Amino acid sequence: MGVSWKTPDQKVFIEEHHASYSQHSMDGSLKTMFWPDFLDKWFERWPVPEPPSDVEGGVQLAKQSERKKKISVSIIRSADQSTQTHHSHSN
């Protein structure tokens, strides 16, 4: 296995939400119910760092938004992989 981008605290946070993820996955509400709440809590706990101060205001917001989107995608992929691992170990 490669180097993880997640800190130990972030791994615990993801594991703590695994049951909720599984439930929302089964009832088809991941996009509408789980991810908005999960990502709000994630970014509240681990805010996206500000881009360098030499970047203009509008560009700075766009860069920060893009970084947040990339982090969100990484979190979602990680959760999906974790779920697949849990299913393969429980079978």
Side-chain angles (χ1 to χ4, degrees), residues 3 7 10-11 20-21 33 38 52-53 61 63 65 72 75 80 84-85:
V3 177
T7 67
Q10 290 169 331
K11 288 179 185 178
S20 177
Y21 175 91
M33 298 296 291
F38 178 89
S53 60
L61 287 175
K63 286 183 179 267
S65 177
S72 297
I75 294 167
D80 286 342
Q84 290 172 358
T85 301

Side-chain angles (χ1 to χ4, degrees), residues 16-74:
E16 289 173 347
H17 289 83
H18 180 75
S20 177
Y21 175 91
S22 294
Q23 180 61 43
H24 286 288
S25 180
M26 286 190 281
D27 69 19
S29 63
L30 278 174
K31 287 183 181 180
T32 59
M33 298 296 291
F34 177 80
W35 285 122
D37 182 57
F38 178 89
L39 293 173
D40 283 348
K41 289 176 183 173
W42 178 278
F43 289 117
E44 187 175 295
R45 198 156 172 194
W46 296 285
V48 175
E50 295 285 332
S53 60
D54 62 337
V55 177
E56 290 184 31
V59 174
Q60 186 174 13
L61 287 175
K63 286 183 179 267
Q64 188 173 15
S65 177
E66 183 61 28
R67 290 174 74 186
K68 188 173 182 177
K69 181 178 176 182
K70 286 180 181 180
I71 292 168
S72 297
V73 168
S74 295

